[in-house]
Amino acid sequence: MADQDPYGAIKFGEFRKYMQNKESKLKEQESILGNQGESGIIPVLQGLSIHVNGYTDPPQSELRRLIVQYGGDYQHYLKKSKVTHIIATTLTNSKMEEFRAYKVVTPNWITDSIQQGQLLPWTEYRVIQNQSAQRELSFGPQLTSKASSSPLQTRQTTPKAKPDPTLQKAKSLSTRTESTSKPLLPLPQLQQSISTPQPYTDISMPISPHYTTEQEQNQLPSGKELNTALLANPWNRNNSSTNPDFIKKYYQSSRLHHLSSWKAELKDIVRKAKEQQQESTRLRPISSKRNDSHRLVMHVDFDCFFASVGIKSRPELAKLPVAVSHGKGLSKNSSSDIASCNYVARSFGVRNGMHVGRAKELCPNLQIIPYEFEKYKEVSEIFYGILFQYADEIQAVSVDEALLEMGSHITVAGRNEEESLALMVRNEIRKKTGCEASIGMGANILLARLATKKAKPCNHYYCDPQDVAAFLSEQKVEDLPGVGYAMKSKFQDMGVTTVGQLRQVAKSILLSKFGPKTGQTLYDFSRGIDDRRLITKQPRQSVSAEVNWGVRFENNEQIEAFLGSLSSEISERLKAIDRKGKSITLKVLVRAKHAGEAAKHLGCGECDSHSKSVVLDFFTDDADVIAKHVKHALKSFTFLAVDIRGLSIQIQKLNNDADQNISVEDNQQRRLKFDSVHDAVTHSNQHKPESSKSKMAIDYEMYMELPQDIQRELNEEHELEFITNPQQEDRPTELHQKDQTPEPAASNENITPPPAVVTQDPSQFLPALPNWSQLDPSALLALPQNMQKQVLEAYKSSTSSKHQYIDNTTTTADTGSKPISLKPSLSGNTSANGDYGKITKSTSPRRSKPRFSKKKNLNGITLTQLFPPSPKRTTIQNVEDDEGALFLSGDGNTTGAQLMVGTTDRYTMEGNGLAPAIRDLNPSDFTLVNGTHPKSMEIWPQLPKDIQQELLQTYYQEQRQKRIQNKTVTDVQKRIPSAPIQTEPILMGKSNLADVRTLLSAWVHEFSSAPDSKDVQTVTNYLKELVWCKDLEKVQLLLMHLDRITQADSINKTTWANSVQGMKESVSHEMIIVYGAPLG
DNA sequence: ATCCTCCCCTAC
DNA sequence: TAAGGTAGGGGAGGAT
Ligand SMILES: Nc1ccn([C@H]2C[C@H](O)[C@@H](COP(=O)(O)OP(=O)(O)OP(=O)(O)O)O2)c(=O)n1
Ligand SMILES: [Mg+2]
């Protein structure tokens, strides 16, 4: 259209399509639900558009049913422009912030209205901040007093990952944001009208009634104004991304960058040392494999590392409060970060990561000392030198911190050997570095880390296995490693403060609230269980470079230039470690709509994060290649240049040595087959001096479809210019529909196409291809079919079939630049997070949605009408296929089968009251699905979407099962000849620890009154097998697990204790047979 | 179920 | 002024 923002247009179109698809899909489900309702109801909710957030008392699914039934519009997603009301039971601060502009009401508003047959005033049901959120308001003062009274607990405010309490307070009290509480720039509406159109001016806001009465949100800050003002200051300009030397200078001064690169180096050193050591000890049997009974993990960590090193050369400061920072704190409101402060300063409430200004408020006498990066590195080298002498294994955690396996140092238990060992290490560190380190020890990483916290400062602590329970119970949840700000908030919502309380939370709740892995980890941690080994040799999986400070652009050229520099930077980093990658990701931080100038000087402030990745067909470390792809990725976004606050590039899917070989071979093979083409291309360019590559415009999608060696050739021989087919970028005519995310109008600040926009003309592409005559037919034939087609089409397009070519790119582009990248903007997620004022927000855009069991997805649709079921299987067979068929043990005992029927029914009915009979509608029962791709079925196009989906899933599931079956069959076949290889014992098809645990939990839960003796026998046999396989650790862990889960309240403790005891005795007996010693 | 992408989170 | 980087675990939701 008239504007020059085709990129915006395409994005817009996709956005709409995406949401529309989504909506129609979900709406189908609704009409189903709605039709189920009786007639004669009063549509009290007519005209309302309601979104349900989080956990509600009548559960989400029930509310949804009611809303639809009573004429309301249920919104699965929080779509700003549409939603009129949000249902929620509680509101934490972050949600409060996010929902600022909506009517947030309790579920009772719905139920009461329905009951009374009329819509009641929503204001009566307004959700106000909950208690826990209120409490947080007083966090600041508390922090101060608490910290001063108990220095050992200082970790309770972990350095980073905490929002500035004061900031948080301001937000929740007055719904003011960073911008409004610190208005740097006056923003008269006058200027807005003069300046370019405001794409972010919010059209949706007025539609949704305000949560509060204030007007502020109508005057959103303008990115351009903010930026212009900031960059008008030459000081700022010189220190921002507009300066070409910026990146280098920035990284030189960034403590976090130093920290990260040091860590990478250390991990590398440790890895290499280990490799060498393994080399030299190859002949010796490796004994220290997995003997957890004597495991001793030591966690060593310098006290206030940067500060200690700095104080060493400034002894006069030792007794004063000291902090390391760039800012000298001259200006009284310095937003400079404190990297590290000594314990004197901490007694005032000062913390690592805090801004100097705030710290000075707490401690006016705070002494600021500068960074001395070289010194930190020197001390660190000495430190690791010491560790290498003691440790069986080392995991580098940081410059000043490491985890060690020290089991070999302990000969006899109970002789305090741990303490003297720690003392020895600490003394040596003190002597050789002049700094204090603290040490924590325990039987696993978790306990060691917790012990360090308890030990600090300047001490050590051994968490004796006997004391674990008591020691753990008193810990605060946020002291658990991995629990940071976000999880702490979640716990706060749940009313969980201590690890002891956490232990009382049912595992099912943890799993559903935190996900399978995290839930299990939390469950284990609260019991002192931590199976993780030290990570000592894991190779690097990604390399990235990011800058989220000082990023202020005026136009697109600056962005592209900056991405160029960043690409070079990352290319150098890749080369330095001699690795290449094939996945490139661009991440862009964009100023949140309502955010003004960042709290931190030149910081990114509150941002939305957007990323886009591309997977290449080849490995690369080439700066130009990387730059081209990230620049292209950038164009798939539509941000204003002035709103960009951070940029980063990540390279993933790195080659390891094996890959490199494979890929080289792979390439060579292909190259051989493609020799003639290759030669032709290279040859034709040989006349030209290397330096002046010919320019070539090429459609990006087209390029991506080319074989990898051709891509490489093109990159090496030409200066590529990616273009995009303008036809596919056309702005949809529905543009003016107002409920869409506002699009940037054309303006200088827009990410506009590259200066040289080349219209789609295949002839422009042709010069890159060899002449027809040079194309070796055998080479062409050697290519996979789809590539053949592409090559041929590339040639064809020069003459007749331009059409085809365009069509082709259009479709690939459609799927290639998916609307996924838009999610952040449409979810409208915006909230503060992280530490003192930084932040890329993160109110999770993904609310917990109803999780449908597979069967539930059928939602009452009568599949039978479409497909008469094949001869029905027996119930038991049917059930056998189910995941839940835990204890249908090999001998086919009936108790197991009974149990399973029950379980399945419940599973099926979960939450939606579907009749058990629906089990029989499991699509896998329909022969039509068997082996046939659903899409190849004639009836396919006529099926409702969710049925299609269902069939697809079933199909893929079947395929997978076949694959697995084939595999096991062949595996077995292979294995049989090679006789006596011990296979891993399996319990109901599961072998890994977590799975078996889950099985056991399900078992115990299912038979809470008493176990079936056959099941006990099955489990016992399994444990015995483990004993034979020398997997004693697993035996131990599983028995502990059984101990734990049979002590739950819902369990009949007597019968179960007996059974478990019996199992233990059997295992012990087996131990004596196998090893001559009983269970420890 | 498993894989992939786009996040979020955590730690130093 | 100020230098809010980064690797890796993991979850949600979609595609296959
Ligand atoms: N937000 C943070 C946290 C840490 N660091 C740097 C400075 C620290 O000295 C070093 C080590 O981090 P620690 O978490 O170990 O903190 P300290 O060593 O300073 O204190 P302590 O370990 O005694 O709690 O990392 C930083 O720059 N910024
Ligand atoms: Mg430390």
Side-chain angles (χ1 to χ4, degrees):
Chain A
M1 313 217 104
D3 71 73
Q4 305 147 0
D5 187 17
Y7 302 92
I10 187 180
K11 174 128 199 191
F12 187 77
E14 284 170 349
F15 169 83
R16 296 194 65 255
K17 207 161 56 181
Y18 174 72
M19 284 311 277
Q20 278 165 0
N21 283 342
K22 258 255 141 103
E23 277 167 8
S24 58
K25 212 184 208 166
L26 295 168
K27 282 285 159 59
E28 274 175 42
Q29 294 177 8
E30 269 158 28
S31 56
I32 292 160
L33 287 173
N35 292 339
Q36 283 172 347
E38 319 85 299
S39 51
I41 51 170
I42 309 167
V44 286
L45 304 180
Q46 193 93 54
L48 300 181
S49 199
I50 304 170
H51 170 78
V52 180
N53 175 273
Y55 298 87
T56 47
D57 185 357
Q60 204 174 30
S61 55
E62 172 67 4
L63 284 173
R64 173 173 145 218
R65 196 182 59 78
L66 291 173
I67 291 167
V68 175
Q69 202 168 26
Y70 288 86
D73 192 12
Y74 180 87
Q75 292 289 332
H76 290 263
Y77 305 103
L78 181 52
K79 203 173 160 200
K80 292 193 171 169
S81 51
K82 276 215 178 143
V83 169
T84 55
H85 295 78
I86 293 174
I87 311 290
T89 324
T90 55
L91 263 198
T92 52
N93 283 333
S94 56
K95 285 178 188 167
M96 187 77 169
E97 170 69 16
E98 185 188 358
F99 300 158
R100 205 162 30 114
Y102 300 90
K103 294 171 178 167
V104 188
V105 296
T106 64
N108 287 347
W109 180 59
I110 300 286
T111 50
D112 289 0
S113 294
I114 289 172
Q115 208 167 38
Q116 308 216 0
Q118 60 168 317
L119 193 63
L120 302 173
W122 73 274
T123 43
E124 302 295 312
Y125 296 86
R126 198 194 281 253
V127 175
I128 0 175
Q129 274 171 295
N130 63 21
Q131 204 44 34
S132 65
Q134 293 274 5
R135 234 179 281 130
E136 201 175 10
L137 298 181
S138 56
F139 181 59
Q142 258 180 4
L143 169 66
T144 314
S145 57
K146 218 175 197 164
S148 54
S149 68
S150 169
L152 287 185
Q153 288 184 343
T154 52
R155 282 309 198 100
Q156 113 187 141
T157 55
T158 335
K160 206 170 160 168
K162 281 271 145 99
D164 185 344
T166 55
L167 177 62
Q168 195 76 5
K169 176 167 32 172
K171 281 188 182 180
S172 43
L173 279 181
S174 65
T175 76
R176 285 190 307 168
T177 62
E178 235 185 305
S179 62
T180 50
S181 60
K182 298 187 143 213
L184 273 196
L185 311 157
L187 243 214
Q189 300 81 331
L190 177 69
Q191 285 188 329
Q192 286 198 4
S193 57
I194 296 172
S195 65
T196 52
Q198 294 294 304
Y200 285 120
T201 304
D202 196 15
I203 313 174
S204 65
M205 235 18 142
I207 297 176
S208 35
H210 289 179
Y211 181 75
T212 63
T213 58
E214 66 185 3
Q215 316 290 323
E216 281 167 297
Q217 16 193 309
N218 289 333
Q219 312 176 355
L220 292 173
S222 137
K224 184 169 183 193
E225 307 302 338
L226 291 167
N227 244 7
T228 319
L230 195 75
L231 291 175
N233 180 333
W235 235 340
N236 290 341
R237 171 171 290 271
N238 190 36
N239 288 297
S240 72
S241 50
T242 45
N243 183 324
D245 296 333
F246 175 73
I247 290 187
K248 208 167 225 80
K249 238 172 40 182
Y250 175 64
Y251 281 138
Q252 270 174 21
S253 315
S254 163
R255 75 189 200 278
L256 292 174
H257 168 73
H258 281 277
L259 235 37
S260 294
S261 22
W262 286 331
K263 175 169 180 174
E265 285 172 31
L266 287 166
K267 288 212 294 196
D268 215 46
I269 290 170
V270 167
R271 197 181 305 121
K272 291 193 170 125
K274 178 160 175 124
E275 277 165 18
Q276 271 197 351
Q277 177 213 348
Q278 275 184 350
E279 198 95 348
S280 61
T281 57
R282 171 148 331 157
L283 298 180
R284 265 192 289 158
I286 295 153
S287 56
S288 68
K289 191 50 181 153
R290 277 221 162 192
N291 197 348
D292 270 17
S293 49
H294 296 93
R295 193 177 179 201
L296 178 65
V297 177
M298 182 181 270
H299 178 233
V300 194
D301 184 333
F302 277 90
D303 295 335
C304 51
F305 184 57
F306 287 11
S308 296
V309 173
I311 289 172
K312 232 194 343 171
S313 52
R314 299 171 180 82
E316 72 279 6
L317 297 180
K319 296 242 155 67
L320 299 174
V322 176
V324 176
S325 165
H326 283 303
K328 298 165 197 68
L330 298 179
S331 97
K332 85 169 176 292
N333 223 336
S334 166
S335 67
S336 176
D337 273 13
I338 288 173
S340 176
C341 59
N342 68 357
Y343 281 79
V344 182
R346 290 186 202 195
S347 72
F348 289 86
V350 178
R351 291 295 178 276
N352 289 359
M354 193 178 268
H355 287 178
V356 167
R358 168 92 179 109
K360 286 254 179 178
E361 279 173 21
L362 297 167
C363 176
N365 192 31
L366 186 66
Q367 307 294 306
I368 305 291
I369 60 177
Y371 289 94
E372 298 168 284
F373 293 121
E374 319 74 27
K375 285 196 187 173
Y376 309 148
K377 189 69 207 297
E378 286 165 21
V379 171
S380 177
E381 273 160 21
I382 300 172
F383 172 57
Y384 272 82
I386 297 169
L387 300 185
F388 272 113
Q389 294 175 1
Y390 285 90
D392 304 335
E393 308 238 39
I394 301 186
Q395 174 179 339
V397 177
S398 181
V399 257
D400 82 319
E401 183 177 345
L403 286 161
L404 317 176
E405 290 285 356
M406 297 289 255
S408 66
H409 290 265
I410 306 303
T411 51
V412 194
R415 306 264 316 144
N416 277 359
E417 288 180 82
E418 293 85 3
E419 311 250 338
S420 38
L421 181 61
L423 205 50
M424 194 153 56
V425 174
R426 287 181 52 221
N427 286 339
E428 188 167 346
I429 291 173
R430 187 184 310 107
K431 198 176 88 196
K432 293 192 175 166
T433 70
C435 295
E436 287 291 343
S438 294
I439 291 180
M441 291 164 296
N444 57 41
I445 298 176
L446 168 72
L447 295 174
R449 295 197 90 122
L450 289 172
T452 306
K453 272 182 210 196
K454 185 172 173 92
K456 270 179 181 291
C458 194
N459 210 336
H460 54 262
Y461 181 78
Y462 172 51
C463 175
D464 193 288
Q466 291 182 331
D467 310 333
V468 168
F471 175 67
L472 270 173
S473 296
E474 73 191 26
Q475 305 289 328
K476 300 257 176 267
V477 274
E478 65 264 35
D479 283 333
L480 293 174
V483 176
Y485 172 73
M487 261 198 227
K488 187 192 169 187
S489 310
K490 267 187 169 179
F491 278 127
Q492 215 171 42
D493 292 350
M494 301 165 61
V496 172
T497 318
T498 67
V499 175
Q501 288 167 335
L502 172 57
R503 202 181 302 147
Q504 304 303 313
V505 179
K507 182 149 96 165
S508 58
I509 293 184
L510 293 178
L511 292 179
S512 69
K513 265 193 174 352
F514 296 94
K517 301 270 190 135
T518 311
Q520 179 70 45
T521 303
L522 288 168
Y523 181 88
D524 287 344
F525 277 13
S526 71
R527 288 157 177 80
I529 298 169
D530 179 5
D531 295 334
R532 295 172 303 168
R533 319 307 300 184
L534 297 198
I535 296 168
T536 56
K537 52 188 172 191
Q538 180 177 340
R540 231 216 253 222
Q541 284 161 24
S542 68
V543 176
S544 66
E546 53 192 83
V547 179
N548 300 315
W549 183 88
V551 175
R552 295 301 125 105
F553 298 112
E554 296 156 309
N555 56 51
N556 299 327
E557 287 68 36
Q558 290 172 345
I559 305 176
E560 299 226 350
F562 188 80
L563 281 180
S565 312
L566 208 54
S567 300
S568 303
E569 170 71 27
I570 209 165
S571 162
E572 281 168 30
R573 292 187 195 180
L574 283 167
K575 287 173 178 157
I577 59 169
D578 195 25
R579 315 213 26 207
K580 300 179 179 190
K582 50 164 58 179
S583 167
I584 302 172
T585 304
L586 170 74
K587 187 176 76 169
V588 187
L589 293 191
V590 182
R591 180 179 70 87
K593 190 169 50 186
H594 61 270
E597 208 38 77
K600 184 175 186 62
H601 180 59
L602 285 172
C604 64
E606 206 178 330
C607 286
D608 288 314
S609 148
H610 304 260
S611 68
K612 175 137 202 148
S613 53
V614 193
V615 180
L616 308 179
D617 272 340
F618 56 92
F619 293 102
T620 190
D621 60 3
D622 185 284
D624 290 336
V625 173
I626 296 169
K628 294 210 175 83
H629 286 283
V630 295
K631 285 176 192 174
H632 182 267
L634 178 71
K635 285 169 195 148
S636 70
F637 292 123
T638 57
F639 316 123
L640 293 183
V642 290
D643 284 334
I644 291 181
R645 288 286 181 274
L647 288 169
S648 87
I649 301 175
Q650 285 140 245
I651 306 295
Q652 291 139 107
K653 297 190 201 293
L654 301 185
N655 56 349
N656 51 36
D657 290 344
D659 273 355
Q660 191 153 23
N661 292 337
I662 288 166
S663 91
V664 164
E665 265 163 44
D666 200 29
N667 287 341
Q668 277 170 353
Q669 278 179 9
R670 231 179 236 154
R671 176 147 311 190
L672 287 178
K673 293 170 189 159
F674 231 73
D675 253 352
S676 52
V677 173
H678 164 78
D679 285 346
V681 172
T682 341
H683 194 71
S684 70
N685 280 294
Q686 264 172 4
H687 325 286
K688 296 173 187 166
E690 273 288 313
S691 51
S692 69
K693 294 182 182 178
S694 66
K695 275 205 178 189
M696 182 174 69
I698 175 171
D699 177 273
Y700 183 76
E701 306 296 344
M702 178 72 192
Y703 168 87
M704 291 303 293
E705 295 294 329
L706 290 172
Q708 64 180 39
D709 44 357
I710 297 291
Q711 284 186 10
R712 194 196 316 274
E713 297 299 342
L714 293 177
N715 267 306
E716 281 168 10
E717 307 302 333
H718 301 275
E719 194 176 311
L720 294 183
E721 186 112 52
F722 289 136
I723 57 175
T724 317
N725 183 351
Q727 302 211 348
Q728 72 196 36
E729 314 269 25
D730 269 352
R731 198 172 282 253
T733 47
E734 306 91 320
L735 172 64
H736 300 296
Q737 198 172 319
K738 62 184 174 185
D739 63 341
Q740 295 299 335
T741 300
E743 284 303 306
S747 86
N748 273 349
E749 311 124 359
N750 279 344
I751 311 287
T752 50
V757 176
V758 187
T759 16
Q760 186 58 54
D761 177 0
S763 65
Q764 301 233 15
F765 174 74
L766 275 183
L769 293 173
N771 292 331
W772 258 117
S773 57
Q774 290 172 301
L775 183 64
D776 180 347
S778 66
L780 183 61
L781 286 176
L783 288 172
Q785 263 193 353
N786 62 332
M787 288 183 181
Q788 286 181 18
K789 204 172 121 211
Q790 278 154 16
V791 171
L792 288 176
E793 276 173 8
Y795 279 97
K796 256 197 288 183
S797 64
S798 66
T799 55
S800 58
S801 88
K802 169 174 178 179
H803 227 35
Q804 234 174 341
Y805 171 59
I806 289 174
D807 281 350
N808 188 4
T809 49
T810 304
T811 30
T812 43
D814 248 359
T815 49
S817 55
K818 270 246 166 91
I820 297 168
S821 48
L822 281 175
K823 272 192 214 156
S825 48
L826 62 91
S827 60
N829 58 340
T830 288
S831 86
N833 140 42
D835 44 342
Y836 301 90
K838 161 173 177 169
I839 275 346
T840 64
K841 86 258 317 5
S842 79
T843 298
S844 162
R846 292 151 183 148
R847 301 281 152 216
S848 59
K849 303 218 172 74
R851 305 284 298 172
F852 296 118
S853 72
K854 301 177 215 164
K855 291 160 191 169
K856 214 159 80 175
N857 272 348
L858 291 172
N859 264 337
I861 281 268
T862 54
L863 254 187
T864 29
Q865 292 166 1
L866 299 167
F867 308 120
S870 60
K872 265 230 223 120
R873 307 178 187 184
T874 71
T875 305
I876 288 177
Q877 276 172 325
N878 192 359
V879 145
E880 217 171 355
D881 290 339
D882 196 287
E883 256 306 275
L886 309 187
F887 296 98
L888 196 56
S889 41
D891 54 17
N893 73 78
T894 43
T895 312
Q898 290 297 340
L899 156 64
M900 278 309 88
V901 173
T903 311
T904 308
D905 284 350
R906 191 165 338 142
Y907 184 61
T908 305
M909 296 169 64
E910 173 184 311
N912 72 347
L914 286 186
I918 200 149
R919 180 185 62 236
D920 296 329
L921 292 182
N922 187 321
S924 61
D925 286 346
F926 298 99
T927 42
L928 265 177
V929 185
N930 265 328
T932 322
H933 195 292
K935 286 186 184 171
S936 66
M937 302 185 310
E938 287 162 43
I939 196 167
W940 177 258
Q942 296 151 42
L943 296 177
K945 279 213 174 78
D946 49 351
I947 300 272
Q948 289 183 350
Q949 171 85 2
E950 184 74 17
L951 290 174
L952 269 184
Q953 282 207 351
T954 307
Y955 171 76
Y956 288 119
Q957 208 167 316
E958 276 177 14
Q959 294 301 305
R960 184 189 55 86
Q961 296 243 348
K962 277 182 200 158
R963 246 179 288 135
I964 291 171
Q965 274 170 14
N966 289 341
K967 210 173 171 182
T968 33
V969 169
T970 53
D971 276 355
V972 169
Q973 282 167 351
K974 271 182 206 156
R975 219 178 267 144
I976 288 170
S978 58
I981 291 178
Q982 193 92 34
T983 50
E984 199 174 7
I986 289 178
L987 180 66
M988 293 346 249
K990 306 291 186 187
S991 64
N992 90 44
L993 184 60
D995 289 345
V996 175
R997 276 191 180 141
T998 311
L999 276 176
L1000 293 177
S1001 300
W1003 176 43
V1004 172
H1005 185 72
E1006 198 56 44
F1007 291 90
S1008 54
S1009 55
D1012 183 287
S1013 63
K1014 288 201 181 164
D1015 288 335
V1016 174
Q1017 195 56 52
T1018 306
V1019 174
T1020 308
N1021 287 341
Y1022 170 70
L1023 291 173
K1024 284 183 183 175
E1025 278 183 60
L1026 285 177
V1027 171
W1028 280 96
C1029 292
K1030 307 186 175 158
D1031 204 345
L1032 300 186
E1033 182 197 14
K1034 207 184 245 174
V1035 175
Q1036 180 104 8
L1037 290 170
L1038 290 174
L1039 284 174
M1040 282 169 61
H1041 182 70
L1042 275 170
D1043 267 334
R1044 269 197 320 279
I1045 60 184
T1046 53
Q1047 276 160 26
D1049 280 337
S1050 56
I1051 305 299
N1052 181 333
K1053 290 175 190 115
T1054 342
T1055 59
W1056 271 101
N1058 272 335
S1059 301
V1060 173
Q1061 184 56 35
M1063 290 162 72
K1064 281 184 182 166
E1065 280 163 15
S1066 302
V1067 169
S1068 266
H1069 183 245
E1070 202 76 4
M1071 290 276 300
I1072 293 172
I1073 293 171
V1074 181
Y1075 302 102
L1079 192 60

